[in-house]
Amino acid sequence: MANKQRGLVEVELDKVRHIRYTMNALAEIEDKLGYGLADLDGKQLKIKEVRTILWAGLIHEDPELTEEQVGEMIDLGNMQYVQGKMAEAFEQAQVKN
């Protein structure tokens, strides 16, 4: 279940986790990918980029989580589901109160 007021989106991975794209998460994405978020629009993302974006959305509740650990939580069986949850979390981050 999502907590829309806080921008949290629940996702089932190795356990129930919550994706949230805060300013810190967005800064991590830009830093790790080496380009700005505006450059993501319409871009075909590579698998490693998807992993980085998910990782950045998860570290708010588990700062010790690594990108490699996140990569172990995703496979071809749940990738579409996870990407849908990531999109939902980005939408929640943009919701104005």
Side-chain angles (χ1 to χ4, degrees), residues 46-84:
K46 297 176 185 172
I47 298 297
K48 194 170 186 179
E49 292 170 322
V50 173
R51 182 185 72 179
T52 296
I53 294 167
L54 177 58
W55 165 81
L58 294 173
I59 58 173
H60 68 95
E61 67 181 11
D62 187 354
E64 301 301 315
L65 190 63
T66 68
E67 289 183 70
E68 290 75 20
Q69 289 170 322
V70 170
E72 289 295 322
M73 298 174 197
I74 307 166
D75 56 34
L76 293 176
N78 69 351
M79 189 176 298
Q80 186 173 9
Y81 160 77
V82 172
Q83 287 182 312

Side-chain angles (χ1 to χ4, degrees), residues 3 6-7 10 18 26 31 36 40 49 53-54 57 64 93 96:
N3 181 342
R6 295 210 55 224
E10 189 175 283
H18 301 90
L26 300 177
D31 185 52
L40 287 175
E49 292 170 322
I53 294 167
L54 177 58
E64 301 301 315
K96 295 184 170 112

Side-chain angles (χ1 to χ4, degrees), residues 24-38:
N24 288 335
L26 300 177
E28 287 289 344
I29 292 167
E30 286 186 342
D31 185 52
K32 293 278 188 174
L33 297 183
Y35 52 83
L37 292 175

